[in-house]
Amino acid sequence: MRSGIERGFCLSGLALVCACGASGSGNLRAPVSYSTCATPVAIFAADVTGDGKLDLVTPCPSIGIVASLAGNGDGTFQAPVVSPVPAWPSTPAVLEDFNRDGKPDLALGSFFDPSLGSISDGGVAVLLGNGDGTFARPEIFLPGAPVLELAAGDLFGSATPPALLVSTGAALASSFSLNVLVGLGDGSFSRGPSLGIGGAPPAGGIVRGGLAIGAIRSDGGSEVLLSFAPPAAGAALVQAFRGSPDGGLSAGPTSPLPGAYVVELRDISGDGMGDLVGIGGSSVAVALGKGDGTFLQPKLFPAGGTPIDLGVADFNGDGNLDIAVVTTPGPPVGLCRQRGGASVGILLGDGKGGFAAVESFALSSAGSGVGGLAVGDLDGDGKPDVATYDGWTGEVYVLLDAWRWAG
């Protein structure tokens, strides 16, 4: 239910809080909502205030701000504190400590179709964290580039600063590019290699996909995984690109992953090698890694609706990784948003690549335009909790873990 207070761009005074949706029975507690900035495009759980407690960060570039909700350490949050960001259209975002000062930093990419006009100040904006919940003024890289997806991580080894991976191109173009921004250690970047992806497939182009960075080979090292869907292929593919210590990037093999537009690399099977988790259609796809840069045929698990985003953690304390998904009852509208009937679902893992039927928890009985999902220990009890947001109303939903852990 709604609290009766309109939740647009309302940032003055106290954080607006209401318990809504589920009754609290089951293994996630009833969601509690907080107001944040209007039309958020992502949500992150990280300590951006330096007090050892997880906070929530929601970029809202369409109105030119990012809002940070400081965590109290008990699963509740304070009123948002805002910082300016470029006023770009719907925007991919990542949170990473680019200058390794212990304060998370924010990167945003402009997403637009060049055929609809140009955005002269587009590209990738990097905002260094100040450690108090605010962010410094942005520095722009790849100016004017139409950014589709972003990922950040140790692509060239743990001894090097985190790199930024940027896919650029029109959303339904016949080809696009994978670009590397090499971290210099101070929060700035140099232009690294750029690889063209695609070519000239039939009409309809390549649908943009997800990016992930991690180890997928038994000999170690990090690679980029890019999911995309050439029309002639009939299903989404995931291609690996391997980083080298000298800053190079080379294309590797492809593997099928049906319909995936969001991907994560996690060791689902516990064998020390990265496995692939993706969402698309009405399913969660899990493909176990072979250790050679490729993956076994994916298994599909019903998501309980149309999945919009996912997170991976051990929610019931059995030592196996589980999957959380935020879903709507129908296909996405516009840029991954849908009104009505949203929920968070948990799929418990068996540690071998299998997952139990989804257990769903309603977010609200009213309309909802859910977007991203963040997982972290928000109340300090050692168990992972879940947060998501409503892109229509500017509400953040927090669902605390209520599983009874062994021991």
Side-chain angles (χ1 to χ4, degrees):
M1 67 180 177
R2 296 293 298 277
S3 68
I5 304 174
E6 195 59 34
R7 302 297 184 86
F9 181 34
C10 180
L11 293 173
S12 61
L14 299 175
L16 302 177
V17 183
C18 70
C20 50
S23 65
S25 62
N27 294 311
L28 288 179
R29 297 179 191 171
V32 175
S33 67
Y34 299 81
S35 63
T36 185
C37 47
T39 62
V41 298
I43 185 167
F44 303 101
D47 179 11
V48 295
T49 55
D51 61 358
K53 304 168 185 175
L54 288 186
D55 314 304
L56 296 176
V57 179
T58 55
C60 300
S62 67
I63 59 172
I65 62 173
V66 55
S68 299
L69 289 75
N72 296 317
D74 59 359
T76 65
F77 295 86
Q78 300 174 28
V81 175
V82 302
S83 304
V85 301
W88 286 340
S90 185
T91 305
V94 294
L95 201 68
E96 177 67 74
D97 184 6
F98 293 116
N99 59 355
R100 292 189 168 177
D101 63 354
K103 306 170 187 176
D105 311 308
L106 179 67
L108 300 169
S110 66
F111 169 53
F112 68 99
D113 189 332
S115 67
L116 302 178
S118 63
I119 298 179
S120 60
D121 62 346
V124 177
V126 175
L127 297 85
L128 298 182
N130 293 323
D132 59 358
T134 66
F135 294 87
R137 296 186 61 85
E139 183 175 355
I140 307 298
F141 301 90
L142 297 179
V147 178
L148 300 175
E149 299 288 348
L150 289 175
D154 296 328
L155 179 61
F156 306 116
S158 59
T160 61
L164 261 174
L165 276 294
V166 188
S167 63
T168 59
L172 294 175
S174 62
S175 62
F176 57 97
S177 298
L178 180 61
N179 308 273
V180 180
L181 293 176
V182 180
L184 301 180
D186 59 358
S188 64
F189 298 84
S190 64
R191 183 74 179 264
S194 176
L195 297 178
I197 312 294
I206 293 178
V207 178
R208 67 192 184 100
L211 279 171
I213 299 177
I216 58 174
R217 297 177 189 262
S218 57
D219 59 358
S222 294
E223 302 193 41
V224 183
L225 286 184
L226 171 67
S227 70
F228 60 99
L237 301 174
V238 173
Q239 184 164 11
F241 299 84
R242 192 163 208 188
S244 60
D246 61 359
L249 195 67
S250 57
T254 61
S255 302
L257 192 70
Y261 54 85
V262 174
V263 293
E264 278 203 19
L265 265 175
R266 298 296 295 270
D267 184 10
I268 295 294
S269 59
D271 61 0
M273 291 179 289
D275 305 311
L276 193 57
V277 183
I279 55 174
S282 60
S283 301
V284 176
V286 177
L288 300 183
K290 296 180 181 179
D292 61 357
T294 63
F295 299 86
L296 297 174
Q297 188 70 21
K299 296 180 180 179
L300 301 182
F301 302 91
T306 298
I308 302 299
D309 200 4
L310 67 89
V312 179
D314 179 9
F315 288 97
N316 62 348
D318 64 355
N320 301 322
L321 288 180
D322 312 308
I323 299 173
V325 288
V326 58
T327 66
T328 67
V333 171
L335 293 169
C336 297
R337 289 181 180 156
Q338 169 74 13
R339 289 188 182 273
S343 65
V344 169
I346 304 292
L347 294 83
L348 297 179
D350 63 7
K352 302 176 183 179
F355 290 85
V358 63
E359 183 178 2
S360 296
F361 305 85
L363 290 178
S364 175
S365 58
S368 186
V370 290
L373 185 146
V375 175
D377 182 9
L378 304 178
D379 58 358
D381 66 354
K383 303 176 184 179
D385 309 303
V386 175
T388 185
Y389 63 83
D390 186 327
W392 297 110
T393 64
E395 289 174 310
V396 167
Y397 295 95
V398 174
L399 297 87
L400 300 179
D401 191 326
W403 262 276
R404 294 183 178 180
W405 285 30

